[in-house]
Amino acid sequence: MDRISRYGPIIGLVGLYVAFSVLNDRFLTVGNQMNVLRQVSIIGIMAIGVTFPILCAEIDLSIAQVMEVAGLTIATLAVGARLFEDFLLPVPVAILIGLLFGALFGTISGYVTARFGVPSFMTTLAMLFLADGLGLIVSGNRPITGLPESLTAIGGARILGLPSLVVVFLALLVVSQFILSYTKFGLYIYAIGGDRQSAERMGINVMAVRMGTLIISGLFAGIAGLVMLGRLGSAVPTMGANMLLPPIAAVILGGADLFGGSGNMMGTLVGVLILGVLQNGLNLMGVGPSGQLVAQGIVLMLAVLANVRN
C-alpha cells in the first residue's frame, strides 16, 4: 500500500491518458496536448508557489486573490487607468511593482504566522479578503483594456513554437525543483515540515524559512497574474474567481504530504496534469462542467486517502 501511495499519482496520470486515448481519438493529438498545457499553466504556476508552504507544513489561501490584485495593479500602472489614472509607467516598472506587491502579501502573512504563531490558515485567509478588496479599489471594479503588446506578449506570445505561458510555467518548475533539491533553503523546508522542533534544535532559522515560503507563494501568484494578462488580453476584477482550490488540489494530487516534509515539484507537475487531462478528456467526451467537478472531487478524495494512508 505504501508503494501504491507513492507511485499513485503517476499511475493515475498514465491511466487517464490510456483511458481517454481509447475513448476519443482526438485526445492524444499534438494540438490537444498543447491545449492541455496551455490550460493548466496558470494554475501550475500558482501550484508551484503554494508547494513551498505546503512542504513546510503551512498553507496559503490568498493565492487567487493575490494573483488577481497583482495583475490588476500591473495593468492599471501600464495604461495609467483607474486608481493610477494619468500615472503611466513603463511596462517593466509596472511589472516589477506588481510582482513586489504580490510578494508583499506573502511577507505580511509570513511575518504574522512565523513571528506571532498565528496559523497560516488564518493569516492567509485575512490576506484573501484584503487582496480581494484592494483589487476592486485598484480597478474601480471595471475591466482594464488596451494593454500594451509588450505586456500581453508575456502570456500570449509563442517561444520556439510553444505558448509563452507554458514556457514560463516549465521554467519556474525547473528553477523551483533546483531550489528544493540543491539549496540549504530547500533542505530547511523539508526539515521544518518534517519536525519543526527538531529543526529549531538544529539551529535552523525556522521563522525566516516559514516566512520565506509564503513570500515565494505570493510572488508566484503575482507571476500568475502577469501571465493571465496575456491570456485574457485584459485585466478583469474577477479573474481570480475559482482559482484558489485547483492549485492546492494539484499539490495534493501530486503526492505532497498534507502535514509537510514530503513532496516535490515533479509531483506537483503530475498533479496539475491530472487535473488538466481529466477536464480536457471529459470535455472531449461531452461531459458538462458539473460532471467534471464531480469527477475531480472523486479523484481528489482518492488522492487524500492515499496521502493519509502513506
Side-chain angles (χ1 to χ4, degrees):
M1 286 298 297
D2 289 342
R3 188 168 296 178
I4 291 175
S5 297
R6 182 179 303 174
Y7 298 107
I10 296 177
I11 295 172
L13 180 60
V14 172
L16 287 175
Y17 264 95
V18 172
F20 287 130
S21 298
V22 172
L23 294 172
N24 194 297
D25 56 3
R26 291 182 296 164
F27 173 75
L28 209 55
T29 61
V30 174
N32 187 60
Q33 293 307 303
M34 193 61 64
N35 188 42
V36 171
L37 286 175
R38 187 165 51 247
Q39 290 174 341
V40 303
S41 290
I42 294 175
I43 289 176
I45 293 171
M46 297 169 68
I48 294 170
V50 82
T51 299
F52 285 95
I54 288 177
L55 293 179
C56 202
E58 305 291 349
I59 192 66
D60 188 351
L61 299 181
S62 66
I63 51 176
Q65 275 63 41
V66 171
M67 180 272 287
E68 182 179 283
V69 71
L72 289 168
T73 299
I74 293 170
T76 52
L77 286 172
V79 300
R82 305 295 188 265
L83 183 64
F84 304 111
E85 189 172 0
D86 300 325
F87 192 65
L88 182 67
L89 291 178
V91 169
V93 177
I95 292 173
L96 179 60
I97 292 175
L99 296 184
L100 290 175
F101 199 31
L104 177 62
F105 283 97
T107 301
I108 297 172
S109 298
Y111 181 77
V112 173
T113 295
R115 176 66 178 83
F116 300 103
V118 179
S120 55
F121 177 91
M122 294 305 301
T123 56
T124 57
L125 183 62
M127 287 298 104
L128 180 156
F129 289 107
L130 178 60
D132 200 19
L134 287 176
L136 295 177
I137 293 172
V138 167
S139 65
N141 201 18
R142 289 180 291 171
I144 310 298
T145 58
L147 303 184
E149 185 177 350
S150 57
L151 178 58
T152 57
I154 297 173
R158 299 185 77 85
I159 301 174
L160 299 176
L162 291 173
S164 56
L165 74 169
V166 174
V167 174
V168 172
F169 167 46
L170 296 178
L172 292 175
L173 185 78
V174 172
V175 171
S176 298
Q177 184 58 57
F178 179 86
I179 291 172
L180 289 179
S181 299
Y182 299 106
T183 67
K184 287 185 178 180
F185 179 70
L187 178 63
Y188 293 164
I189 288 175
Y190 284 111
I192 294 170
D195 191 329
R196 186 180 301 171
Q197 292 182 346
S198 295
E200 289 177 342
R201 288 195 291 267
M202 291 168 58
I204 296 174
N205 189 336
V206 174
M207 176 179 171
V209 175
R210 293 173 65 197
M211 184 173 172
T213 60
L214 287 166
I215 292 173
I216 291 174
S217 182
L219 176 62
F220 275 54
I223 295 173
L226 169 62
V227 173
M228 179 70 91
L229 298 179
R231 173 137 192 216
L232 297 178
S234 62
V236 184
T238 58
M239 61 186 182
N242 302 320
M243 293 289 285
L244 168 59
L245 296 182
I248 297 174
V251 178
I252 303 306
L253 282 172
D257 195 319
L258 288 167
F259 306 104
S262 177
N264 54 60
M265 293 302 167
M266 294 302 105
T268 295
L269 173 62
V270 171
V272 168
L273 289 176
I274 287 175
L275 287 180
V277 167
L278 186 62
Q279 181 178 13
N280 180 267
L282 292 175
N283 188 54
L284 289 176
M285 293 174 60
V287 178
S290 57
Q292 294 176 24
L293 288 174
V294 170
Q296 290 175 0
I298 292 172
V299 170
L300 184 58
M301 179 61 73
L302 294 174
V304 170
L305 289 173
N307 191 300
V308 174
R309 179 66 179 84
N310 191 33

